[in-house]
Each structure stands twice: as structure tokens, then as C-alpha cells.
Amino acid sequence: MTASPSPGLEGFLGLSGALTGFSADFLAASAVARTFADAFHHRTPAGIAERMLAVWEEIVRQHPGGPAAVEEAVRARIWRDEALGPYARSLVKLWYLGAWHDPGPTPSAPPLSADAYAEGLIWPAIGAGAQGARAPGLGDWGTPPPREPLGDEPP
Amino acid sequence: MTFSAVVVGSGVAGAIVAKELGVRGFRVLVLEAGLESPMDDAGFGSHVRSHLTAPVRGPNSPFPRNPNAPHPMPSDLAGENGYLVQRGPMPFSSVYTRYLGGTTLQWLGTSLRMLPSDLRLRSLYGRGVDWPLAYEDLAPFYAQAEGELGVAADAEEQTYLGVSFPDGYAYPMEPVPPSYSDALVAAGLEGMRFHIGGEVLPVQVTSTAQARNTRPNPRRDPGSAAPSSDPWARERCEGYASCVPICPVQAKYSALRTLRRAPPDRVEILTRSVASRLQMDPGTGRVTGVVCKRYHSPSSPEHTVEVVGGTLVVLAAGAIENAKLLLASGLANSSDQVGRNLMDHPFPMSWGLLRERAGTFRGPGSTSGIETLRDGSFRRERAAFRVELSNWGWELPTGAPQSDLRALVDGEGLFGRELRRALFDRVQRQLRFGFVVEQEPCASNRVTLDPAFRDALGEPRPVIAYDLSEYVRAGIATARRFSKQAFARLGAEDCTTYAPDDPRHFLHEGAGYSWCGSGHSMGTHRMGRSARDSVVDADQRSWDHPNLYLVGAGSFPTAGTANPTLTLAALAFRSVERMVRDLAGDGA
């Protein structure tokens, strides 16, 4: 349905990549990228998602091609920002766990769907298939584990 | 309509009895209190989806709550708010499942035989009681059970501590391949000896026998037992790493397979049918009917009451539900042992971080164990245990890997590449031992009823008094000492912590310990040699009522250290022989 990401999704994927540690291209291939973008917009208080994306666009403009500098800027202007930081954490959990967690000490939340669970980044991050949803085949578990997380990092 | 047998419960014991009697030409009615569990992709898939989208995934998360046939949940640990009414001093911590197929829907699949010494604990070590059966009496039925369940193992490797097989014996399935971390642990512990009391025991990692489809064993005579289901029909283990609670491709045995093999023209299955009371003829002592409450919807307690009858009545609803039904009916209890001697395998865990990657969260939950500590003269003073090696890191004790993600994001404030790398490193190196600890029978660990506590249909809820004896506590402490030595040998950093406010926490010689349940409810209608001190005989037939059988792990006089399913399946096959003799001339 979405052959190429809309401009809005592109920004969302770039921001998500910087926060999750996976490349935007890897995230774009997720079956639930648009579902997560929608959840991010709908579950955050009015203006938060737009503001976080605007800050992200600004960071990209100011630090072309400098991943370390981008990371530092994201840390300072989003992750540690009093208003944005808590929702950036929610966004990371959304991508990793497939579930929306409101900021604060909330109990474990249910995944948005079975697909959202299965596409959670936690699985490639730990070098395994989604428990109960992805299988590598008989005996795969006897082979040496991967040397690093699956999926690309941001460039 | 009368039946040769009415079977209450559709778990592995009830399914075996129903199918075997049906195959031999008898008419059988199976009453299942819970809802249906479809095996087709769409129906089974709804269980899988319930699990994947649950806020907290646990053993019963694929099986939505049903107030008309409630079952315990892992969170029901204290007080009166869960299904079990916990009277303490410790909580009974195991769950079971009231759905068609019973607890085999969510079991791990471990299919070990008990040791010959497990059946002679009193004679050998002065503890507990002896079984009225010897290993040799059970051996042929173990073989039948291994055929029915489609167990994957190598007989030579399972030959230890007195467990023996006939020459040339072949399990139905080739062993489940061991995991990468199994190999790491096996290599690291090679040559280790463990001291218990004055004894020195070898430590050896063995591939675990498990009811999980791999490849059919080419060494097995195809005519030697019931065929295993077709491993190529999307029922072969593919490594979904989700055996508990649910295998999406049904590679793990469940009682649904046995029910599917039952001849449908002779075995009738009624779900949503709660056995409420047994009726008895005081003149003959025979059970004449099962009063059954039949409901339509789990969301309404509306029901009809029917009485069904059979030449034999077989209770196969699990140790706790069997006891509940007997106590509610006031039957089979001349020994005063019904509901008593409730046992589990208390399951303490130790967890640590290896120096190297272990390949966690791949494959079945456990593929290997250490069986060499299951017997010794130390059993005079302390419980024996087997060691289960986890393939899923710290999932059970800490909620990994999701809890690790939360800790790294919320606790350590990590994001981006740093988060991704830290998570990989932390989860990949996780190592977890679990200990299946023998629990000795204690008369005061028991199921009782209290009219104040009822479910939606008005049926009594089990009231449970439970504790761990000094014998069990000493076994748990020994298991912990073992893990410290093993972790040191493996170069693993011990990360185990036991929360002092956990209701299961206890102090032993100054150190704190905790444990979980194994899901192994046992002992509540123990078998024995005499009507004075046991509820059933060696055929699981009630001493008090000649046509009443109580099958399942409730019949176990002692618990040993083998996960109980294979043994209770073997006992069910053995009881069928006696039932067939009882039914001679009953129209087969």
C-alpha cells in the first residue's frame, strides 16, 4: 500500500532510527511502521509528536552526515527534554515491544496486535526470532549465536 | 443412554482412558468443564493471538478466563482473590488449565521416566511412602505412553540411575537437538563432582526426553505403538521458542492428539459440562451417576443439570479438581486421605551472566538437564532435584527480554545504538538453571472445601493449605549451593536475587531462598497397598467404590524428580487394562 514513505513517515522513521538504534531503512521494512506512526500521533498529548518531529528535522538539518553529533543533539534536545523525553521513551518501547506505554511507571501494556508483537525490535536486537511468531527451523538453536544484533544501525 | 465409562476431564489421563476404551469397542462419554480447543489453524490461531497480545504472557494467557470453569492464574498467589483460596502458610504456586486438552495445552513437554528408587523412598531412605508398584511394573506402560506422546529421545542416553529399557528400544522420535548453550554448559561442567553430605556425585548434562516432534526415529518398529502424528504436517518443532504456553504449530504433544485418535462413533465429548457431584448407591457402594452442570456461554452462569451414568466412572480432572469433586460428593474417603499430601515440584531458580554469548531465546524452553543429582543416600535428609537448563535466558525469573529493555531505557536512560548493543549483550549472555525439587508428602498440605467460596456455577473453589517441609527446604538450599559452584566453574556472574517480600521467600541457615511452582499438582488421592492409608489401589481404582477410578498425578504417593506427565500417562494405560477386565461382558 505504501510503496514509498510519505514525507511524514520519513521523518518518523528517521527519528525512530535515532532513538532505537536501527536504520530508518530497516524500520521502513516493518509491516507495522505506519501503525506505529499512527499510534505515536494518537497516543501522545496534542502537539508532542509534531514538536518532536520538528526538533528532529532541525537536528538533521544542522548536523548533516555526523552520526555522533546527531546522537548528542537527540540526547540533549529530545531524550533529556522535560516534555519530549518521556514520550521518546514511549516511542522506543513501542518499536521494541509493539505496545504503547504511557510515561511513568506503568504496568506492562498489551501489544497493539499480534503483528506489532512479532515485528517488535526486541527480537532482532537480541538476535532471536519473536517467541511464538517466528521460527528458524528444527535444530537452528544448536548453531552459534549471531555476533551482533540483527538489522542495520543508522548510518 | 448409558456408557461403559464416563470420564471426567479431557487432559492426557482422561484422553488416554477414553481413546483406549473406545478403540477396544466400549462407549465412552468425556465431560470437559472448560471450552473447546480447536486444533484447526483458525481456531488454534485464536489461542495463539490471545497469547501474543496479552499484557502479561504466562502459562494460561492463551486461554481466556471462564468464570464457569475457572482455573488458577500465576498471579493468584495470596489470599482469596484468585481461583484457589490460599490458606498458607505458603502459597500453592502451580496452575492448571481447564479447557479441552487440559494442562497439556500449555505444558513444556518434558517426558522423563521416574527412577526405580523414586518408587521406594520409604524402603531405601526412610522418607515418604513406597509405591504399590515397582519400576518393572510400569516399564511396559512407559513404552506405551512414549508411543502415545511421541517422545523424542535416545534410549541409551536416558539409561541412568536404574532407568532401563528393553534391548533395542527406540523412542518414537529422534532426540531434540541440544541448544548452543546446552553445549556451553556441558563443556564447562565436564568433570565436575558435587558433594552432598558424604556423597560425591558426578555432574553430567543429558539431552532431555520430550514430547515434541522432531524426525521419526528410523530405528523404531512402526508397529510398536500408536503412530506419532505426521511431523511434516506443520507439526514439527521449528523453534518458535514458545512451547509454554503454546506452540503455534502444535509440534508439542497435547491431549488433543489423543482425543483426535479416539473413534468418534464410540467416544463422545461434551465440553462446557462441569461434573458437580457423584451419586452413589449405598447398598453396593457403586457410583451410579455424575451430576453435570452444562452451560452455553462462559459469560453467563445459566446452565442445565443432567445426570449421566456409566458402568465405570473415571475422574481425570487433575489432582486438585479430582479431590474437589470427591470432597464435594463425600466419597472415596474412608482413609481420610482425599485432598491430603498435595505435592508440587518446588522450582527454585538461579540466574547469571556468562562471559560469552549463549544464543538465548532460541529453540524449545529446555533441551537438556542434569539428571545425576536425582538420587543418593542424601535423600534421607534432603530432597533430590533435577536441573533444567533454560534456553530462554532469564524469561521466567525476571521477565526477560522485555524487562531488560525497560531497565535499560527507564533505569539506565539508554537509547539508539547504545541501547541496541547493550540489550544484545545483556540478553545473549543470560544463563538460567531451574531445579525440579522433590517434595515429600505431608498430610497437612491439602485441598479442602469451604461453603463460603464458590465459583460462578456455585461449585466449590479449592481451599489450599501448603508449606515446604524442612526436607524440601534443605533440598532447595542444596540446589542453590550447586548453582553457585557451577556458575563459578562456568565463569558466570551470579545475578540471582530473591525478594524477601515474596510470600514464598524463606530463610534457611541464615540465607534467603525463593521458588516457583512447576505446574505439577500431585498426591491428593494417593495409591497404596491398603484401604486404610490410601485412596486408590495400584490400578488407580477406589478402595471404597469398585467402579470408580481416579487417574492422574493425584495418585502419586511420592513425587520423585521427574516431571509427572509421562508417569501419569503410563499409569492411565495400566489402569485401562484393569478397566477392560472390569468391563468384560459390557458390550464390547
Side-chain angles (χ1 to χ4, degrees), chain B residues 324-580:
Chain B
K324 183 185 101 175
L325 186 49
L326 292 172
L327 292 171
S329 308
L331 294 183
N333 200 15
S334 65
S335 63
D336 187 36
Q337 296 301 304
V338 170
R340 294 189 184 272
N341 308 303
L342 174 65
M343 298 176 284
D344 191 4
H345 289 121
F347 188 76
M349 290 179 276
S350 291
W351 55 101
L353 279 180
L354 288 161
R355 293 200 198 99
E356 63 217 293
R357 286 168 291 120
T360 48
F361 290 96
R362 299 188 303 168
S366 176
T367 37
S368 293
I370 296 165
E371 315 297 339
T372 47
L373 309 176
R374 288 171 57 188
D375 192 32
S377 57
F378 66 87
R379 291 171 92 182
R380 290 182 184 282
E381 286 101 37
R382 69 193 98 191
F385 53 88
R386 68 174 291 262
V387 187
E388 180 208 83
L389 305 182
S390 164
N391 288 333
W392 300 344
W394 301 354
E395 185 199 53
L396 216 44
T398 71
Q402 291 85 358
S403 62
D404 296 298
L405 186 268
R406 286 192 197 91
L408 291 172
V409 172
D410 294 330
E412 299 186 28
L414 299 189
F415 72 94
R417 297 160 219 262
E418 214 183 345
L419 168 65
R420 180 167 167 267
R421 288 176 190 166
L423 186 63
F424 180 77
D425 177 67
R426 178 160 164 156
V427 175
Q428 271 290 332
R429 294 189 294 121
Q430 291 179 353
L431 171 72
R432 192 275 276 163
F433 291 173
F435 300 91
V436 181
V437 177
E438 173 183 32
Q439 178 162 30
E440 61 179 343
C442 294
S444 54
N445 285 345
R446 65 186 298 200
V447 179
T448 56
L449 304 181
D450 177 336
F453 298 103
R454 297 185 179 277
D455 69 17
L457 288 189
E459 293 303 300
R461 285 163 48 199
V463 178
I464 302 213
Y466 188 72
D467 202 359
L468 302 188
S469 68
E470 182 55 31
Y471 182 78
V472 180
R473 294 175 187 221
I476 289 174
T478 306
R480 180 81 182 111
R481 183 167 62 82
F482 169 80
S483 51
K484 285 183 177 167
Q485 289 181 20
F487 281 11
R489 226 180 145 94
L490 293 164
E493 175 197 348
D494 194 342
C495 302
T496 312
T497 54
Y498 299 128
D501 59 347
D502 187 308
R504 296 168 292 201
H505 188 269
F506 67 89
L507 291 172
H508 181 84
E509 295 175 355
Y513 300 91
S514 196
W515 51 281
C516 298
S518 286
H520 303 166
S521 308
M522 299 174 276
T524 54
H525 46 81
R526 56 162 38 168
M527 59 164 65
R529 292 186 194 282
S530 148
R532 283 192 320 277
D533 55 11
S534 61
V535 181
V536 295
D537 64 16
D539 297 323
Q540 301 188 90
R541 192 167 85 156
S542 161
W543 291 110
D544 298 346
H545 311 286
N547 68 330
L548 176 66
Y549 284 82
L550 313 173
V551 300
S555 297
F556 291 14
T558 57
T561 49
N563 309 46
T565 299
L566 186 74
T567 300
L568 74 88
L571 288 174
F573 274 107
R574 190 170 182 282
S575 292
V576 165
E577 305 285 315
R578 172 72 174 274
M579 293 175 196
V580 169

Side-chain angles (χ1 to χ4, degrees), chain A residues 50-64 70 73-74 77-78:
Chain A
E50 291 74 11
R51 212 176 114 200
M52 203 186 300
L53 285 165
V55 173
W56 165 250
E57 303 289 359
E58 214 174 282
I59 290 171
V60 173
R61 276 199 304 277
Q62 287 168 357
H63 304 279
V70 167
V74 167
R77 299 184 56 193
I78 295 177

